[in-house]
Amino acid sequence: MLENLKLAVRKQKRLIIIFCLTIFIPSISLSIFGIRAIRNEQFRLAKQIENEHKRAAELLKSQIGSQFEELGSILQNLVRSRAFLQSDGAGIKNLLHTQLAEHPMVEQVFVVFGNEETLFPLFQPASQRIPSFSGQALKEVLQVRLKRAEAYEFKARNYRSAISLYRRLADQSQDKNFKAQMLANISRCLMKAEDYTGAIQNYRRICEDYPESITSTGLPLALVSRLQAASCLRKLGEYQSALQSYLDLYKDILSMHWHLSEAQFKTYASLVGDIISDLFSKNQQDLPLEDYKKEFDRLKSLHQKRLEQWLVIKDIKQEIIPELRKMEDPSVYQTNPLQYSKTIKDRTFLISAVQIPDSPEEHPVGMLGVKVSDQYLLNNVLPDTIRDFQFSVESDVAVSNLQGRILFGQKNHSAELETVNEFFEDNFPPWRIEIFQSGGEALGGLDIKRSFYFWTIITLVVVLIFGGVLISRTIAHEMVVLKLKSDFVSSVSHEFKSPLTSIKALTDRLQEGKVKDSEKMKQYFSLITQDVDR
């Protein structure tokens, strides 16, 4: 077998040499060059995609940066307005409602002048600073009468006499807050006397004529009056009117109709909410309350939102403003906005603030700041920018914070596919931009099958295989022919050997004279003749 193979190869040596010189060696050389060209093409495509992703990341940073620049420009213009230069609270509130209330980036606005209390004009109205009723400010005669009226009410429980004295005190005083308080005392006595209708009338008068008055504890008197008036309606059995009054009061509290402290807001919002829930559970008149329940559900959602905003305000007061004060130079008015970011209890604070100048614009007298809505940037600005950018290959964009938590998009965990890992300038916002090529193929892998070199290599491989098959079949055929020849020679030599051996044996006996009989000799000659014929 091996000898036949060697003979076959030796006989087809010329054909094999021609195949190697004209097909095999050129094909291998061209394939090597093709593979190198494909690798270069892949590298070029990978570089192209990487540059494209870098442009996309720069565009994202530019868009976010332009949003902050636009907001900073608005803030700078605002602090140069007359309202801020004159520290006009009402004017500041109106100006901010006009300029910032509908701005999509603005989540919360704060204003602070010097060491004064921080104001949140878009969240709650400014305090009117109306002095509350105090017995020490009254004239001696009025104080005596007030004590007598209180004695009638609380000790003697002579409500009619108490009402008469309270009314005379209200008529004798020129102080609006004192008058409102006397009306509230009268209403309280009427409630104790179970004259609920009269009490309701007095409470409504307080709300209409003295809407800005406050109690001795600093609570808006109108709020207390509306709460008590609704309670009177409930005692009169007018449940639907009472429910509507409580819902309206709940809505005004949640809409920050009055300036309330955090504790006051939480106390009265929860109190009114619990009363409304109790009215629904004790619907004694089987009233159709579906619409009221829908409104109540909406207000409860608003209540939860307001509680979250109070947490934000608390963090701004305690954590953000002290840090901003450290960043500013109190002796020099800075025209550039201050940008600050901080994560507090998984809540990101992106702050853009500007100093409020004095009239000559030489020294800062306060600060106007905005808590930027990171959700607007993540849910609106980033998607719009990515949607408008034309990627040549399908790509994924992920934005995460510095701790690695994904804020936008999905992160492809294949390290080989990451092409861009960028941060915003000065780490503001404190986010990381990562861009990946979609799918599981290597960079540029999607374009290999479109390459000219790829199909050239495939063609050369096919030619090599075809030529190799032809050479193999030729050698195999030659080996079959050689085997046939070998078998033929063996067969022929065997056929010659038998008669020649017989002839040799017969002739040897005849030559030695061992055959004497003529008949026997004839028989030998006859056999020799037959073997010769064979």
Side-chain angles (χ1 to χ4, degrees), residues 133-152 165-166 168-170 172-173 178 182 185:
F133 161 69
S134 174
Q136 296 179 355
L138 293 176
K139 294 180 180 179
E140 186 176 347
V141 175
L142 295 181
Q143 288 182 359
V144 172
R145 290 177 181 174
L146 178 59
K147 290 180 180 179
R148 189 189 309 164
E150 290 175 344
Y152 277 130
L165 283 175
Y166 284 139
R168 287 172 59 187
L169 286 167
Q172 292 172 1
S173 176
F178 179 73
M182 293 304 101
N185 292 349

Side-chain angles (χ1 to χ4, degrees), residues 147-199:
K147 290 180 180 179
R148 189 189 309 164
E150 290 175 344
Y152 277 130
E153 179 185 357
F154 296 108
K155 293 182 180 180
R157 296 185 181 179
N158 186 346
Y159 302 122
R160 293 302 172 186
S161 298
I163 289 172
S164 177
L165 283 175
Y166 284 139
R167 186 172 285 117
R168 287 172 59 187
L169 286 167
D171 294 338
Q172 292 172 1
S173 176
Q174 300 300 320
D175 184 87
K176 293 185 67 175
N177 204 57
F178 179 73
K179 285 178 176 289
Q181 185 62 60
M182 293 304 101
L183 283 176
N185 292 349
I186 292 170
S187 301
R188 185 176 65 230
C189 291
L190 290 171
M191 285 185 66
K192 292 177 179 179
E194 298 185 357
D195 183 2
Y196 300 118
T197 303

Side-chain angles (χ1 to χ4, degrees), residues 63-116:
Q63 289 294 324
I64 296 294
S66 66
Q67 293 286 330
F68 281 99
E69 289 178 5
E70 178 187 347
L71 180 60
S73 177
I74 294 174
L75 297 180
Q76 288 173 334
N77 292 332
L78 286 173
V79 297
R80 291 189 176 93
S81 64
R82 179 180 300 176
F84 277 93
L85 294 176
Q86 296 179 354
S87 301
D88 179 8
I92 289 174
K93 177 182 176 182
N94 293 333
L95 188 62
L96 294 180
H97 271 280
T98 302
Q99 297 290 328
L100 296 180
E102 302 299 328
H103 198 291
M105 282 185 67
V106 176
E107 184 174 323
Q108 193 60 259
V109 179
F110 59 90
V111 179
V112 56
F113 285 97
N115 294 322
E116 296 181 12

Side-chain angles (χ1 to χ4, degrees), residues 144-309:
V144 172
R145 290 177 181 174
L146 178 59
K147 290 180 180 179
R148 189 189 309 164
E150 290 175 344
Y152 277 130
E153 179 185 357
F154 296 108
K155 293 182 180 180
R157 296 185 181 179
N158 186 346
Y159 302 122
R160 293 302 172 186
S161 298
I163 289 172
S164 177
L165 283 175
Y166 284 139
R167 186 172 285 117
R168 287 172 59 187
L169 286 167
D171 294 338
Q172 292 172 1
S173 176
Q174 300 300 320
D175 184 87
K176 293 185 67 175
N177 204 57
F178 179 73
K179 285 178 176 289
Q181 185 62 60
M182 293 304 101
L183 283 176
N185 292 349
I186 292 170
S187 301
R188 185 176 65 230
C189 291
L190 290 171
M191 285 185 66
K192 292 177 179 179
E194 298 185 357
D195 183 2
Y196 300 118
T197 303
I200 291 172
Q201 292 175 354
N202 274 279
Y203 282 131
R204 288 176 177 172
R205 182 183 171 189
I206 293 172
C207 296
E208 293 172 1
D209 297 342
Y210 308 98
E212 297 177 352
S213 296
I214 59 176
T215 67
S216 58
T217 58
L219 192 67
L221 193 56
L223 188 158
V224 179
S225 299
R226 288 177 60 179
L227 181 62
Q228 295 297 336
S231 177
C232 290
L233 288 171
R234 188 177 182 183
K235 291 181 181 296
L236 288 171
E238 299 180 16
Y239 294 104
Q240 188 166 359
S241 298
L243 177 59
Q244 185 63 59
S245 297
Y246 281 122
L247 284 171
D248 292 339
L249 177 59
Y250 193 37
K251 179 180 179 181
D252 284 343
I253 293 174
L254 297 179
S255 300
M256 309 306 294
H257 183 73
W258 300 282
H259 180 86
L260 301 174
S261 66
E262 181 180 359
Q264 290 171 338
F265 173 86
K266 291 181 177 179
T267 299
Y268 282 90
S270 299
L271 174 62
V272 176
D274 292 342
I275 292 173
I276 295 173
S277 298
D278 185 62
L279 283 174
F280 280 127
S281 64
K282 298 178 181 179
N283 184 10
Q284 299 176 4
Q285 297 179 354
D286 296 326
L287 298 172
L289 302 178
E290 292 302 321
D291 292 339
Y292 293 101
K293 288 181 179 178
K294 290 180 181 178
E295 176 67 7
F296 183 49
D297 290 338
R298 186 187 71 81
L299 292 175
K300 285 195 295 184
S301 299
L302 180 59
H303 189 177
Q304 184 60 38
K305 182 179 178 181
R306 288 288 185 252
L307 292 176
E308 293 173 358
Q309 289 176 325

